[in-house]
Amino acid sequence: KDGENTAALDQVSGRPLTPTEKSQRSQLIARINEKGFDNVMEEAAYTWFNRFTALRYMEVNGYLPTRIKVFSNESDEFKPEILSQALDVEIEGLDKSYIVDLIDAQDNETLYKYLLIAQCNALNKGLPELFEQIGGWTELLFPRNLLREDSVIARMVKDIPQQDWQDQVQIIGWLYQYYNSEPKDKVFANLKKNIKISKDDIPAATQLFTPDWIVRYMVENSLGRLWAEGHGKIDSADWKYYLEEAQQEESVKAELEKLRAEYAQIKPEQIKFLDPCMGSGHILVYAFDLLMSIYTQQGWSERDAAVSIITKNLYGLDIDRRAYQLAYFSLMMKARQYNRRLLSLSAEGACTPNLANFQDIGRFSTDMLTGEIAQLAGQFENCDTYGSLIDVQEIQGLDEAIDEFHGVIGFNAQQLERMMQLYKILSQRYDVVCTNPPYMGGS
């Protein structure tokens, strides 16, 4: 943190830097100058923790395209198959001669780093929101000593029973809450010292993993009720927390009959379900399960239903990019459970979840914007503080303005695309809105 952060250095601690390392180091210093040392180190630490958690989940459930485990072996011991079978790994871009050189030199640390980064980059096509292309400064901060018996991945294998990872994608949310526990404690300790909660601290202060029974209670009595009132309760569904309709007055009964007649016309693919504060996606994942039982009752195959649920039924928002990434991963893994081709469909752009977060827009300036684009951007000022509380207004002529927009100083086309995704989710109507809203206390 207080070292000689000069981009022009040729060596560090007496070791000469390669041209690639020099470039990566320059990027790292530029990022530190922009965001601050602590923020960049936290970003790097979390990015790798996130990727390792996802890789462990995928290897246990057999979802890695290579079918070669990255942390364990067939006996689920901390003996990475990807290392012992390095010459058999088929990942695009691997240099087999370089692998042979590393094996001959018995440089397992460098070989393991090379293989893990290649595996993460290969997953970018099917899961682009979680496995962003690795290069530059994040590669420079790849964790060291991962093959030690007390490393973070060794503990993921040895300390968490394998069955806890099997088809329980909510483990992603549990680990995120664990990861957030220290920042959360720090935020509330600062409050006692009269240090206010900043917008950057809101996610750590407010995000809690909603317990399973509460999620089931909410979803069964909202989405489940909507379907049951029009089509009857699904016999095969395990709705432990569903409440039967209470005795009602005649006038209420008449209104309910109208609703039931309306709901009887709805098809599974027409239902829109929103969680506006989705966190790591626990509510959306259970809604997926319930929707799957609805679809299959209506004669859909599980494979086709999985894609339809992801692309047509479920919508989610969060203020925090990290939570968004986890919700995205959780939903994709839930769908992969039913459709083996899901990652390939995602790579082709045929299966993308309707999820978004408010941090992805980044900082922007409205100074150079005019007309409809300026009206749109004006509605999203401070969106990384207010999140889904924003009330968006319809803008006439917006589609035409977007077609003609190519970016200006302080606001680019990618920011506009992300803003439009948020605008779409915030502006449409839903059959069910179900959430556990974030809160910090009564005062």
Side-chain angles (χ1 to χ4, degrees):
K1 184 173 183 177
D2 301 314
E4 190 180 347
N5 295 325
T6 309
L9 286 184
D10 291 325
Q11 59 179 26
V12 172
S13 301
R15 183 173 78 77
L17 298 175
T18 66
T20 300
E21 287 172 333
K22 283 184 189 175
S23 171
Q24 292 171 341
R25 192 170 173 278
S26 295
Q27 291 175 37
L28 178 60
I29 290 167
R31 197 166 186 91
I32 287 170
N33 289 338
E34 178 193 352
K35 293 193 163 189
F37 184 90
D38 291 341
N39 288 336
V40 173
M41 293 305 134
E42 170 58 23
E43 183 182 353
Y46 179 73
T47 296
W48 286 112
F49 180 81
N50 203 358
R51 286 171 180 155
F52 293 159
T53 302
L55 286 171
R56 177 60 177 157
Y57 182 85
M58 293 181 79
E59 76 165 11
V60 168
N61 290 287
Y63 294 165
L64 289 173
T66 60
R67 300 291 178 193
I68 294 177
K69 295 187 173 185
V70 290
F71 297 158
S72 61
N73 61 12
E74 284 302 314
S75 304
D76 204 45
E77 301 167 305
F78 178 53
K79 294 178 180 176
E81 270 184 358
I82 200 170
L83 203 52
S84 60
Q85 300 180 29
L87 289 172
D88 300 321
V89 176
E90 293 297 332
I91 295 176
E92 187 180 338
L94 278 184
D95 183 343
K96 290 294 173 83
S97 62
Y98 180 57
I99 290 173
V100 170
D101 290 343
L102 292 174
I103 292 172
D104 289 343
Q106 297 185 328
D107 189 352
N108 280 347
E109 280 285 341
T110 303
L111 176 59
Y112 195 45
K113 173 181 177 179
Y114 179 64
L115 293 169
L116 272 187
I117 288 175
Q119 178 63 92
C120 288
N121 283 339
L123 289 168
N124 169 261
K125 288 181 181 175
L127 293 166
E129 294 300 306
L130 187 71
F131 290 98
E132 294 157 310
Q133 204 72 26
I134 300 167
W137 69 274
T138 42
E139 186 172 333
L140 194 66
L141 295 180
F142 184 87
R144 293 187 180 185
N145 303 314
L146 285 179
L147 294 172
R148 280 175 28 175
E149 291 297 319
D150 62 347
S151 73
V152 64
I153 59 172
R155 295 194 60 187
M156 273 187 186
V157 174
K158 293 190 288 187
D159 291 4
I160 304 175
Q162 187 180 29
Q163 61 265 29
D164 286 359
W165 297 92
Q166 288 171 334
D167 293 333
Q168 290 198 93
V169 77
Q170 58 263 44
I171 194 172
I172 305 296
W174 297 335
L175 283 166
Y176 184 47
Q177 181 158 317
Y178 154 75
Y179 191 94
N180 252 353
S181 57
E182 283 183 36
K184 182 173 184 175
D185 290 345
K186 184 180 176 185
V187 167
F188 284 105
N190 283 342
L191 266 183
K192 291 177 182 176
K193 300 174 189 172
N194 291 321
I195 300 173
K196 288 187 177 181
I197 293 177
S198 70
K199 68 179 181 183
D200 294 331
D201 292 330
I202 289 173
T206 60
Q207 282 185 351
L208 279 174
F209 186 81
T210 309
D212 196 54
W213 75 268
I214 295 177
V215 170
R216 286 172 172 265
Y217 171 80
M218 290 196 293
V219 175
E220 287 169 17
N221 290 288
S222 55
L223 174 61
R225 182 170 302 282
L226 179 146
W227 185 258
E229 288 189 344
H231 301 81
K233 192 178 168 190
I234 300 170
D235 295 333
S236 60
D238 179 25
W239 294 0
K240 283 193 282 189
Y241 300 97
Y242 182 77
L243 303 177
E244 297 296 341
E245 186 63 61
Q247 188 60 38
Q248 301 289 356
E249 296 176 9
E250 291 303 317
S251 60
V252 176
K253 284 182 182 177
E255 289 299 318
L256 285 173
E257 287 306 316
K258 288 181 190 174
L259 275 177
R260 285 171 187 146
E262 186 183 320
Y263 291 156
Q265 303 303 314
I266 200 165
K267 296 177 181 177
E269 64 271 29
Q270 294 173 326
I271 299 170
K272 283 186 166 59
F273 180 104
L274 170 70
D275 183 347
C277 328
M278 66 186 169
S280 57
H282 193 186
I283 290 171
L284 292 171
V285 166
Y286 185 58
F288 184 106
D289 285 333
L290 199 148
L291 283 162
M292 180 58 73
S293 65
I294 290 172
Y295 270 87
T296 52
Q297 184 208 39
Q298 295 292 297
W300 284 63
S301 71
E302 290 183 340
R303 186 177 62 184
D304 292 340
V307 176
S308 185
I309 293 168
I310 289 288
T311 57
K312 294 179 180 177
N313 297 125
L314 297 178
Y315 295 79
L317 295 166
D318 204 90
I319 205 168
D320 181 24
R321 174 160 175 75
R322 291 179 179 180
Y324 156 79
Q325 286 181 310
L326 296 181
Y328 163 86
F329 179 71
S330 296
L331 270 189
M332 291 295 280
M333 290 300 98
K334 177 55 75 170
R336 171 59 181 79
Q337 202 175 314
Y338 297 98
N339 189 323
R340 295 170 63 88
R341 288 201 61 244
L342 190 89
L343 297 187
S344 299
L345 291 170
S346 172
E348 295 162 7
C351 190
T352 303
N354 296 298
L355 308 177
N357 77 95
F358 295 87
Q359 285 183 332
D360 251 353
I361 296 177
R363 295 174 185 167
F364 63 89
S365 169
T366 57
D367 293 348
M368 303 282 287
L369 299 174
T370 57
E372 293 83 1
I373 303 295
Q375 288 181 51
L376 175 71
Q379 294 187 43
F380 284 90
E381 284 190 291
N382 302 313
C383 68
D384 55 350
T385 300
Y386 295 123
S388 54
L389 294 175
I390 289 174
D391 182 19
V392 295
Q393 304 297 319
E394 186 178 356
I395 300 170
Q396 298 296 329
L398 182 58
D399 291 342
E400 293 82 356
I402 288 168
D403 290 340
E404 296 169 8
F405 183 76
H406 301 291
V408 296
I409 295 170
F411 191 76
N412 59 41
Q414 187 181 38
Q415 286 172 303
L416 177 61
E417 183 182 341
R418 289 170 174 166
M419 199 175 278
M420 279 305 299
Q421 188 181 16
L422 286 164
Y423 177 78
K424 175 192 169 188
I425 295 173
L426 285 165
S427 60
Q428 66 184 4
R429 297 185 66 81
Y430 296 89
D431 302 289
V432 182
V433 179
C434 185
T435 196
N436 181 8
Y439 52 90
M440 288 182 282
S443 59

